[in-house]
């Protein structure tokens, strides 16, 4: 009978908590690592504040290679690194490692796109006023791109929710693992429906919160 399933009464709420934890920590670490990487890509580019062709092309190549890696293969390839950092290859804590490695290049490109969208006239005006490169980067480029950056973080977070569900295939914990173990392998349809609905609700809440925060930063 629906909702009397022990898998739902005992494991559903913990699985939601695991999904939120792995998504939250992965988003935090990805922003910490991906934001500087995206800014370096912008500043080392042809129209950046510190053009450096070799650095730009080298970073771009690494980012493109990591972005093209299928996530499920990345999880398996990073098992030794995950074991070294977390001490285990199972559970939501272990899933954070491949999630961050796979998401940092993706978020760096989002940052690059957002910052490049800032009007060049505002940068030139800051340069004419004698602002330093650091002041231009953080006071003009990052500040003006903040609404787009918030939207990028929203896209990143929702993407990580999807990746976290995929990680359930290899014991990554959370709603994904619950859907695989009970919904798919044991044909418990109620578990599958509940996990899918929970993921949809989480994604919807993240999108609404992201839109609200981005709107508060948009002063146009």
């Amino acid at each position: 009978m629906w909702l009397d399933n022990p898998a739902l009464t005992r494991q559903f709420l913990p699985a939601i908590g695991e999904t939120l934890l792995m998504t939250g920590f992965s988003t935090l670490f990805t922003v910490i690592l991906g934001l500087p990487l995206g800014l370096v890509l912008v500043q080392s580019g042809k129209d950046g504040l510190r053009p450096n062709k070799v650095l730009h092309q080298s970073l771009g190549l690494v980012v493109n290679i990591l972005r093209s890696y299928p996530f499920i293969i990345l999880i398996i390839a990073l098992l030794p690194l995950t074991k070294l950092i977390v001490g285990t290859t199972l559970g939501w804590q272990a899933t954070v490692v491949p999630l961050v490695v796979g998401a940092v290049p993706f978020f760096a490109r989002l940052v690059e796109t957002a910052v490049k969208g800032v009007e060049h006239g505002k940068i030139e005006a800051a340069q004419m006023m004698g602002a330093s490169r650091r002041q231009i980067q953080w006071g003009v480029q990052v500040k003006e791109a903040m609404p787009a950056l918030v939207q990028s973080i929203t896209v990143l977070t929702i993407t990580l929710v999807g990746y976290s569900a995929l990680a359930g295939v290899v014991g990554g914990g959370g709603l994904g693992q619950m859907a695989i173990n009970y919904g798919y392998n044991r044909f418990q349809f109620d578990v599958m429906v509940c996990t899918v609905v929970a993921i949809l609700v989480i994604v919807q809440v993240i999108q609404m919160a992201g839109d609200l925060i981005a709107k508060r930063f948009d002063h146009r």
Side-chain angles (χ1 to χ4, degrees):
M1 186 176 175
W2 275 68
L3 303 181
D4 284 340
N5 188 329
L8 288 174
T9 56
R10 298 174 185 173
Q11 300 183 36
F12 187 54
L13 290 180
I16 291 176
E18 290 180 358
T19 294
L20 294 177
L21 283 171
M22 77 174 83
T23 302
F25 277 104
S26 301
T27 301
L28 175 63
F29 292 131
T30 300
V31 171
I32 290 174
L33 298 174
L35 179 60
L37 178 58
L39 292 176
V40 171
L41 283 170
V42 174
Q43 310 310 353
S44 62
K46 182 180 177 181
D47 299 322
L49 298 175
R50 290 184 178 180
N52 186 322
K53 186 176 180 180
V54 174
L55 176 62
H56 184 75
Q57 290 185 344
S58 300
L59 284 178
L61 179 62
V62 173
V63 166
N64 290 340
I65 290 174
L66 289 176
R67 281 189 63 192
S68 63
Y69 235 85
F71 182 64
I72 193 67
I73 297 177
L74 186 66
I75 294 177
I76 297 171
L78 291 176
L79 285 178
L81 177 64
T82 302
K83 178 77 173 180
L84 180 66
I85 295 175
V86 186
T88 179
T89 58
L90 300 175
W92 71 267
Q93 297 94 334
T95 305
V96 171
V97 176
L99 282 176
V100 172
V101 174
V104 164
F106 169 68
F107 183 63
R109 285 299 189 196
L110 292 179
V111 171
E112 182 184 21
T113 302
V115 174
K116 279 185 174 180
V118 176
E119 294 180 17
H120 198 66
K122 294 182 178 180
I123 299 173
E124 291 179 341
Q127 289 174 325
M128 292 177 65
M129 294 173 66
S132 65
R133 288 172 180 164
R134 186 179 181 84
Q135 289 172 325
I136 294 173
Q137 178 173 282
W138 292 98
V140 178
Q141 291 180 309
V142 173
K143 184 179 180 181
E144 292 294 325
M146 190 56 73
L149 288 174
V150 172
Q151 292 288 8
S152 297
I153 294 173
T154 304
V155 172
L156 165 70
T157 309
I158 291 174
T159 302
L160 287 173
V161 171
Y163 280 2
S164 72
L166 184 61
V169 176
V170 290
L175 291 167
Q177 183 172 336
M178 190 173 181
I180 293 294
N181 289 348
Y182 295 94
Y184 180 73
N185 291 334
R186 303 181 188 181
F187 306 104
Q188 296 181 6
F189 185 67
D190 53 347
V191 175
M192 182 64 79
V193 171
C194 288
T195 52
V196 170
V197 170
I199 290 173
L200 291 176
V201 171
I202 291 172
V203 168
Q204 185 63 30
V205 170
I206 292 171
Q207 185 64 60
M208 292 173 63
D211 290 342
L212 186 63
I213 296 172
K215 191 175 181 180
R216 292 181 67 87
F217 279 106
D218 193 351
H219 302 296
R220 289 174 293 180

